[in-house]
Amino acid sequence: MSDDKDETQQRLKAAIHFTVGRLCQMTGKDNRRGFSRQAVAAIAETAFRQCDVFAKDLEAFARHAKRSTVNSEDVKLIARRSTALSIHIQKKTEELNQGKKSTGKRKSRDTEEESKE
């Protein structure tokens, strides 16, 4: 079981490293700067560790609220440390909520059955 977890963790680290490398390449081209391999590796490791902290915090927030599922309110709590991130998440949440309102709510099965009778 531990081998599966280790393999998954290594795959996640590799994916983050790859993505950070691509982001550094794009940023480097835009700003005419380069990133050393050591810098990319350090950024990737920092991002991985921060994601791990976020995941544990999100689980703790959901558990504290006596839920087994993380929701957008938990994410907003994580983002409160960064004003820019908090504003971005708030806007995205509002966009998602607007999309739900425009599509309308789906009737429950009980309501559908009652309307058929």
Side-chain angles (χ1 to χ4, degrees), residues 95-113:
E95 287 175 16
L96 288 171
N97 288 337
Q98 288 298 325
K100 287 180 182 178
K101 289 179 183 177
S102 66
T103 59
K105 289 187 176 179
R106 186 176 179 273
K107 290 182 179 180
S108 70
R109 286 184 177 160
D110 294 341
T111 308
E112 288 176 345
E113 290 175 10

Side-chain angles (χ1 to χ4, degrees), residues 46-61 78 81:
T46 302
F48 182 81
R49 289 182 183 184
Q50 189 62 50
C51 287
D52 189 47
V53 169
F54 283 166
K56 289 175 181 172
D57 286 349
L58 288 168
E59 289 174 345
F61 294 155
I78 287 285
R81 297 177 190 151

Side-chain angles (χ1 to χ4, degrees), residues 1-115:
M1 188 70 176
S2 180
D3 289 339
D4 288 343
K5 185 177 179 182
D6 289 342
E7 182 181 338
T8 300
Q9 188 173 13
Q10 289 303 316
R11 291 181 67 180
L12 284 171
K13 279 187 175 185
I16 290 172
H17 186 86
F18 175 79
T19 303
V20 167
R22 297 292 297 230
L23 288 169
C24 287
Q25 283 179 340
M26 292 184 323
T27 302
K29 284 181 184 177
D30 292 346
N31 297 306
R32 297 184 181 149
R33 300 273 187 250
F35 290 84
S36 69
R37 289 181 181 213
Q38 292 86 0
V40 171
I43 294 167
E45 183 63 26
T46 302
F48 182 81
R49 289 182 183 184
Q50 189 62 50
C51 287
D52 189 47
V53 169
F54 283 166
K56 289 175 181 172
D57 286 349
L58 288 168
E59 289 174 345
F61 294 155
R63 198 174 324 111
H64 178 74
K66 296 180 178 34
R67 287 183 277 105
S68 59
T69 304
V70 172
N71 66 22
S72 62
E73 295 304 314
D74 301 322
V75 176
K76 289 178 194 175
L77 283 172
I78 287 285
R80 75 189 184 283
R81 297 177 190 151
S82 167
T83 304
L85 181 59
S86 184
I87 290 168
H88 178 75
I89 289 175
Q90 185 63 38
K91 286 180 183 177
K92 290 297 179 185
T93 301
E94 290 171 4
E95 287 175 16
L96 288 171
N97 288 337
Q98 288 298 325
K100 287 180 182 178
K101 289 179 183 177
S102 66
T103 59
K105 289 187 176 179
R106 186 176 179 273
K107 290 182 179 180
S108 70
R109 286 184 177 160
D110 294 341
T111 308
E112 288 176 345
E113 290 175 10
E114 288 174 4
S115 64

